Amino acid sequence: MLRKLFILVLSLFVLTTYAAEANGIEIIPRPAKVERGEGYFRLTPRTRLAVKGDDAERAVGAFAAKVRHATGYALSAGKAGSANVVSFVLDKSVNGDEAYTIDISHDRVVCRASRPAGLFYAAQSLLQLLPAEVEGSKTAAADWKMPVCRIEDAPRFAYRGMMLDPCRHFLPAEDVKRQIDLLSSYKINRLHWHLTDDQGWRIEIKKYPELTKVGARRNMFDGTFHTGFYTQDEIRDVVAYAAERFVEVVPELELPGHGMAAIAAYPHLSCRGEQLTPRVLWGVEEVVMCPGKEDMFDFLRDVIDEMTPLFPSGLFHIGGDESPRYEWKKCPKCQARMHELGYTKEAQLQSYVIGRVEKYLRTKGKTIVGWDEILEGGDLDTTAVVMSWRGEKGGIEAARQHHHVLMTPSSHGLYLDHNQYDPALEQISIGGNATIDRIYAYDPVPEQLREAGLGHYVLGVQGNNWSEYTPTAAALEARLYPRALAVAEIAWTPLERKDFKDFVRRAYGEGARQLDSRGVRQFIAQPAQPGGSTERVAFTDEVEIALEVPEGMQIVYTVDGSRPDAASPRYESPIRLSSTTVVRCRGVLPSGLMSPMREIWAERQALAPACRPDTVSPGLLMNVYPGNFRTAAALGSAQAAKTDSVIKKIETLRSMAGWLPAVDGYKDYAATAEGYISIPEDGVYEFRTLHAQLFIDDRRLIDNGDIFVLRSSPHNAQCALRAGLHKIRAVFVGGIFDGWPTYWNEGNVDFRPSGGKWQKIGADMLFH
Ligand code: ACM
Ligand code: ZN
């Protein structure tokens, strides 16, 4: 009890020191300049609101509605600058289209900006100065105070973007609007809307109805399908909704690659014109649009004619990435086009397409944006904006050629479809590493550009969320938050004001509370084990379980079977165990919000004795079961069609010639490999695999059966083994799981001695 009390006092101490540093100013992104005074301004039932002019009304209308709703106060009209009035004033003396100032004294609040956008941003900052309940759905009895302060604020970059991809998984218009609303609170001002791709076409084009009839529907191998598209009315509605929040929507029409959904609807768009379907697998489709055909350009022109009136933005994204050129090499029309133009490389055809589309869009008053591949092949018009995604290289090269650039390098954490912390402990992602500290550390102006005096070509920065692994709006939200806050801060806050410790204090404190008030299912990291998380720990005498969480968080845990809560012991140092124990733990934010609970089963084991078969031969025995099983459990008592072939490596389970798919004529199957593994010396060993199941000595050590798509090994497990032969059985379940074929996975089983390095199980270790 004393120990608990001590820990509680200690944690209160930690929380209060945070609060003292904070001075109550928790705004994200961090403003350019903040001076804190003494005390607070308090909203009361008599507080009035002064907003002059229709433009200003529009900019702060949502703020007023939120505050009225949450406080229950009328906030009737008052005189600007008077006592007990919150004033929003358009004032030409504030420099910058998005800049604003806030003066909060004990008895009044005055926000100024030269443009409505600035007033909107002042209002977002005020909301973040108020208690988080202001974001709630109910009227609350909070202490409605704001700290006395003066804020002068303006963005570092004009373009502060987020990309959403409704192609791989459709995101209904209402969910897009919710994201616009959330993101605009953090002063994100561009939504890059990726509307067309191989796996789905998502925008209604009246002249080409098959685009949404055929191109918006992806029929899966298991008989299910995925569908959805935006009508032009919905698009107009979303664009208007965004404009009210000072978010400009930049549409993307992908060309000439990533166009399979369009080609499925209108096969003549491709070189060979064969009838295909929207791509069922993730990844890059080799069938692309044919630049040898004039009617392909007619199509693009017609689509652009319908798209441009929907999007007032001066920018129009034309994709341009990942467009394989194999088909062009073989296509007589493409080759004739090259001949006619004197081209020697297919890459020039890529710039030919981009160039023609650019010229056409210019007649509509649009500047093109394209992924950094648009630099390939040369001849890119200097007005084109280059979006650097394959690292910073494209952006640097583009700026050297005097293009404006937008930085969104996947190599620096700007791909939010990458992992947030420990891939074993979070919703499945496409892979890669985009931890919040990594995002925050990114400076969108590469050093080479700064040194060369070319930094001004960088218009801004953007986070991208490709949606292969965000099938629902809720999954998307857990992906975006809190990391979108880091993107917002690197886009808005002056470089010299960036401070990661202060950022996590805000993002994990008031920031998390505000998101929670808005019902956002934000990601909160579960405690991980350094060097890779294992949920089944084995030990022979005693063991220490070390845990860690991202900077700025803490851990609570129990070893008595109870569910950890705020009063549970805080983790300070590795947990020492000498008997079988379930460690239950949760990550804790300074806001008090907690991660879901994690359980680690630590089992005291005797070293399992080795087997002594009379004779053994190299390799494992493989059995193959044709059919669509989906899970290892469904394999049950199925009859193997092919039995007891000898394989040298476990990965052969998923790469059997003859069973393996092209996309058409794909055949599902499951397969098992069994025999013995030779363990080099006595000890505790950990195993990991992306197969459905792994048995050691007839014990089911790893069961990934509950996981629909495996991209990282979530259920690593340890066992204590004597040197010598142990039975091993691996179960592979082939199939395409929502765009991911399991045969794309690493097919081996890895092992490591406890605390040691991961190794593949080699052919020399396997017998039957
Ligand atoms: C991209 O990620 N293919 C732009
Ligand atoms: Zn062609």
Side-chain angles (χ1 to χ4, degrees):
M1 188 59 211
L2 245 176
R3 180 174 152 75
K4 264 199 180 158
L5 197 66
F6 173 74
I7 286 162
L8 191 67
V9 169
L10 190 76
S11 62
L12 284 176
F13 175 74
V14 170
L15 295 180
T16 46
T17 44
Y18 270 129
E21 268 175 30
N23 282 332
I25 298 177
E26 312 272 311
I27 298 168
I28 296 171
R30 196 182 201 194
K33 194 168 170 203
V34 177
E35 288 165 30
R36 172 72 161 107
E38 291 276 325
Y40 294 89
F41 170 86
R42 282 192 160 75
L43 291 171
T44 72
R46 285 182 306 283
T47 303
R48 289 172 183 267
L49 192 66
V51 189
K52 244 175 112 180
D54 289 348
D55 284 353
E57 292 266 4
R58 270 195 294 279
V60 302
F63 164 83
K66 258 186 199 175
V67 179
R68 280 192 187 106
H69 181 76
T71 59
Y73 305 157
L75 295 183
S76 50
K79 190 163 172 315
S82 303
N84 207 10
V85 174
V86 178
S87 310
F88 290 90
V89 182
L90 282 170
D91 175 348
K92 290 279 172 264
S93 73
V94 180
N95 268 334
D97 285 352
E98 298 182 302
Y100 69 90
T101 64
I102 294 176
D103 281 286
I104 301 177
S105 55
H106 293 102
D107 69 344
R108 71 200 66 193
V109 176
V110 181
C111 304
R112 294 176 194 279
S114 62
R115 312 265 308 153
L119 290 186
F120 176 78
Y121 293 136
Q124 304 318 305
S125 292
L126 285 190
L127 285 171
Q128 293 187 24
L129 291 173
L130 284 164
E133 287 87 341
V134 76
E135 295 289 356
S137 56
K138 292 198 281 281
T139 301
D143 182 2
W144 296 111
K145 64 180 185 183
M146 291 184 263
V148 168
C149 63
R150 177 170 166 78
I151 294 172
E152 287 175 31
D153 202 6
R156 180 174 176 206
F157 294 106
Y159 186 114
R160 306 180 298 278
M162 187 61 72
M163 189 215 72
L164 296 182
D165 163 23
C167 296
R168 279 51 181 260
H169 286 105
F170 184 63
L171 190 67
E174 283 311 306
D175 297 312
V176 177
K177 285 161 76 173
R178 174 168 160 86
Q179 292 316 311
I180 289 169
D181 189 48
L182 284 161
L183 293 166
S184 65
S185 303
Y186 304 101
K187 306 184 175 88
I188 294 280
N189 69 349
R190 296 289 186 280
L191 172 71
H192 169 182
W193 207 2
H194 180 82
L195 290 165
T196 73
D197 213 305
D198 291 323
Q199 292 85 358
W201 180 282
R202 304 292 175 213
I203 175 172
E204 175 190 31
I205 300 295
K206 293 185 195 290
K207 186 162 181 181
Y208 296 97
E210 300 298 309
L211 285 173
T212 41
K213 260 197 218 127
V214 174
R217 184 181 161 113
R218 185 165 75 240
N219 292 316
M220 315 298 276
F221 288 96
D222 62 2
T224 63
F225 63 92
H226 186 82
T227 186
F229 68 91
Y230 309 109
T231 65
Q232 293 193 0
D233 282 342
E234 282 177 311
I235 299 244
R236 270 187 285 269
D237 178 52
V238 168
V239 169
Y241 182 91
E244 284 168 18
R245 287 154 184 79
F246 299 88
V247 173
E248 194 175 295
V249 180
V250 178
E252 180 179 352
L253 164 64
E254 263 274 20
L255 56 94
H258 283 290
M260 186 65 167
I263 291 165
Y266 294 97
H268 73 276
L269 296 173
S270 74
C271 290
R272 283 189 283 158
E274 72 272 48
Q275 179 63 63
L276 298 163
T277 64
R279 184 173 164 90
V280 176
L281 304 183
W282 308 143
V284 178
E285 178 55 52
E286 290 180 7
V287 176
V288 303
M289 297 180 190
C290 173
K293 294 180 176 172
E294 268 318 293
D295 52 3
M296 191 281 286
F297 288 99
D298 295 342
F299 168 83
L300 292 179
R301 192 195 56 220
D302 292 340
V303 170
I304 287 168
D305 284 348
E306 288 196 39
M307 280 180 77
T308 48
L310 301 173
F311 300 97
S313 173
L315 298 176
F316 193 102
H317 203 304
I318 50 79
D321 61 317
E322 298 180 321
S323 185
R325 297 164 193 149
Y326 314 107
E327 296 278 322
W328 296 352
K329 271 196 208 304
K330 294 180 286 186
C331 169
K333 288 197 168 69
C334 285
Q335 293 304 313
R337 177 80 80 191
M338 285 178 62
H339 184 73
E340 167 204 334
L341 296 168
Y343 290 168
T344 53
K345 293 193 227 85
E346 280 73 22
Q348 293 169 288
L349 275 184
Q350 156 97 357
S351 13
Y352 172 73
V353 180
I354 305 297
R356 278 187 68 168
V357 172
E358 188 280 322
K359 277 195 192 62
Y360 190 63
L361 277 161
R362 204 175 334 149
T363 68
K364 307 262 177 188
K366 305 291 181 189
T367 299
I368 64 159
V369 187
W371 301 109
D372 56 51
E373 285 94 328
I374 66 171
L375 286 166
E376 293 170 11
D379 277 343
L380 182 63
D381 190 89
T382 48
T383 60
V385 177
V386 173
M387 198 169 251
S388 194
W389 73 279
R390 295 176 301 176
E392 296 186 296
K393 211 166 66 270
I396 293 168
E397 179 52 32
R400 286 192 176 131
Q401 297 178 24
H402 306 293
H403 292 283
H404 280 121
V405 302
L406 293 166
M407 300 305 290
T408 182
S410 54
S411 52
H412 289 68
L414 275 294
Y415 270 43
L416 302 190
D417 53 336
H418 290 187
N419 298 318
Q420 310 211 41
Y421 185 50
D422 180 339
L425 304 176
E426 60 189 73
Q427 64 173 322
I428 150 189
S429 84
I430 203 156
N433 178 7
T435 54
I436 198 162
D437 55 323
R438 201 145 179 259
I439 298 170
Y440 196 86
Y442 183 59
D443 178 355
V445 178
E447 215 167 286
Q448 295 97 310
L449 292 185
R450 196 194 315 281
E451 283 169 0
L454 297 170
H456 58 282
Y457 283 108
V458 178
L459 293 180
V461 58
Q462 175 172 288
N464 293 338
N465 189 77
W466 302 102
S467 69
E468 285 91 337
Y469 299 103
T470 40
T472 62
L476 171 69
E477 226 155 82
R479 201 74 101 195
L480 292 183
Y481 304 98
R483 290 183 300 173
L485 279 53
V487 175
E489 189 146 315
I490 65 175
W492 177 280
T493 302
L495 194 55
E496 65 278 9
R497 288 274 294 158
K498 270 177 61 180
D499 175 339
F500 183 64
K501 272 198 173 12
D502 191 73
F503 170 73
V504 291
R505 178 184 65 74
R506 285 171 286 125
Y508 292 164
E510 271 309 289
R513 247 181 242 124
Q514 283 153 4
L515 286 170
D516 197 51
S517 280
R518 298 173 86 167
V520 173
R521 209 192 69 169
Q522 60 195 303
F523 173 77
I524 303 175
Q526 292 181 314
Q529 285 142 292
S533 292
T534 310
E535 58 187 33
R536 291 188 178 275
V537 171
F539 61 98
T540 49
D541 299 310
E542 58 175 33
V543 70
E544 283 192 342
I545 312 268
L547 298 172
E548 60 186 5
V549 277
E551 184 175 344
M553 291 181 65
Q554 297 192 353
I555 299 167
V556 289
Y557 74 98
T558 64
V559 290
D560 62 3
S562 66
R563 187 179 166 76
D565 59 24
S568 302
R570 301 253 154 183
Y571 174 88
E572 309 277 348
S573 55
I575 304 160
R576 185 179 288 256
L577 303 171
S578 53
S579 59
T580 294
T581 305
V582 182
V583 176
R584 298 175 141 185
C585 54
R586 298 170 81 181
V588 189
L589 300 182
S591 62
L593 290 167
M594 291 191 186
S595 75
M597 184 173 75
R598 180 168 175 228
E599 292 183 327
I600 301 165
W601 292 274
E603 190 182 359
R604 186 169 173 150
Q605 296 179 1
L607 291 167
C611 308
R612 303 196 189 284
D614 294 338
T615 57
V616 291
S617 316
L620 297 179
L621 296 177
M622 177 160 105
N623 291 330
V624 177
Y625 304 80
N628 181 336
F629 294 99
R630 312 302 286 168
T631 64
L635 192 54
S637 57
Q639 288 299 308
K642 196 167 167 201
T643 54
D644 294 344
S645 45
V646 177
I647 58 172
K648 295 253 159 50
K649 293 183 190 160
I650 296 174
E651 66 202 48
T652 305
L653 277 178
R654 60 106 169 88
S655 58
M656 248 188 60
W659 296 92
L660 261 207
V663 174
D664 344 323
Y666 175 79
K667 277 204 198 88
D668 286 314
Y669 72 99
T672 59
E674 37 195 311
Y676 300 97
I677 175 173
S678 169
I679 294 296
E681 50 190 82
D682 288 3
V684 171
Y685 290 86
E686 181 172 340
F687 292 84
R688 71 176 180 198
T689 183
L690 294 178
H691 288 313
Q693 290 177 333
L694 178 73
F695 295 77
I696 299 286
D697 289 333
D698 295 325
R699 179 178 172 176
R700 192 168 56 202
L701 194 63
I702 295 180
D703 191 345
N704 292 323
D706 57 330
I707 297 166
F708 188 57
V709 190
L710 279 166
R711 294 300 311 276
S712 57
S713 176
H715 295 312
N716 292 358
Q718 300 177 351
C719 54
L721 302 172
R722 279 227 180 273
L725 295 179
H726 292 263
K727 281 191 186 173
I728 184 169
R729 178 169 193 258
V731 182
F732 167 74
V733 177
I736 295 172
F737 294 81
D738 198 27
W740 181 260
T742 46
Y743 67 85
W744 282 0
N745 278 332
E746 157 65 42
N748 214 322
V749 176
D750 297 339
F751 78 106
R752 63 176 174 183
S754 181
K757 266 194 144 122
W758 285 107
Q759 307 162 44
K760 290 192 185 317
I761 295 179
D764 57 341
M765 296 175 66
L766 297 174
F767 300 91
H768 67 280

